[in-house]
Amino acid sequence: MATDLNHVVLVGRLTKDLGADERSFGYVGNGQARATVSIAVNRSRKGADGNWIEEANFFDVTIWGKSAENLKPYLTKGKQIAVDGYLKQDRWEKDGQKFSKVTIVANNVQLLGGRADGSQGMTGGASGGFSPKPSFGQPMNNPIPDYGSDPYGATDSDFPEDIPF
């Protein structure tokens, strides 16, 4: 039996601040939060003449529940995010004319990059969890060890003997 698959992962930049208009953030009838953002995803490809062509594609993303509430203050124009979710097609009819729109429903949204003060990003998952992004290879439940001023050991060499990876 064949299984269908509807999964998308995108990395792009927000095109405007969340909450910039009344339709981008709100609560639906059952009290659940809904955030709608648009991201620009840039792509480079080689044209027929051999020159590189830059393309920007724009995608609407819907974030639900606690994730939408928790991420609201961080979703600002230009912020790079990673979205893991699925495609959803909405269809409607108006004045006898049929319309259709495909959006991305986020299962997980991760803020990428850092802030100007050097802080690490934050992650908001489908469960509404919101936790600091761990360093590569560092479990979240263990504190990051303090190596002091010289993280690679006390050597005067430009090349540390023990590289921690």
Side-chain angles (χ1 to χ4, degrees):
M1 180 169 129
T3 303
D4 296 336
L5 177 65
N6 181 357
H7 185 232
V8 62
V9 177
L10 295 172
V11 174
R13 295 194 180 272
L14 294 166
T15 60
K16 62 182 174 180
D17 293 348
L18 178 61
D21 61 45
E22 64 277 353
R23 294 185 314 181
S24 66
F25 185 85
Y27 293 89
V28 295
N30 64 1
Q32 188 176 28
R34 179 198 42 81
T36 303
V37 296
S38 179
I39 62 172
V41 178
N42 295 320
R43 180 175 175 256
S44 297
R45 64 176 178 88
K46 209 169 206 177
D49 59 358
N51 292 327
W52 287 97
I53 300 169
E54 294 287 327
E55 292 179 340
N57 293 288
F58 299 90
F59 300 98
D60 290 332
V61 179
T62 304
I63 307 165
W64 289 97
K66 288 288 186 189
S67 291
E69 292 176 329
N70 292 337
L71 289 169
K72 185 179 179 185
Y74 303 101
L75 296 179
T76 57
K77 182 177 181 177
K79 180 70 178 170
Q80 189 177 39
I81 64 171
V83 176
D84 180 358
Y86 61 92
L87 300 174
K88 180 178 184 291
Q89 183 180 28
D90 293 320
R91 297 177 186 182
W92 68 96
E93 190 173 323
K94 183 178 179 182
D95 299 329
Q97 190 172 3
K98 294 182 179 183
F99 294 92
S100 174
K101 181 176 184 175
V102 176
T103 60
I104 298 164
V105 178
N107 290 327
N108 189 27
V109 174
Q110 182 172 353
L111 302 176
L112 301 177
R115 296 188 316 214
D117 65 1
S119 298
Q120 290 185 344
M122 303 292 274
T123 338
S127 64
F130 200 68
S131 57
K133 179 178 164 188
S135 300
F136 178 76
Q138 182 70 33
M140 287 182 62
N141 57 353
N142 293 341
I144 298 173
D146 181 17
Y147 292 110
S149 62
D150 187 0
Y152 299 113
T155 63
D156 292 332
S157 171
D158 288 336
F159 299 101
E161 294 179 7
D162 294 312
I163 298 174
F165 55 84

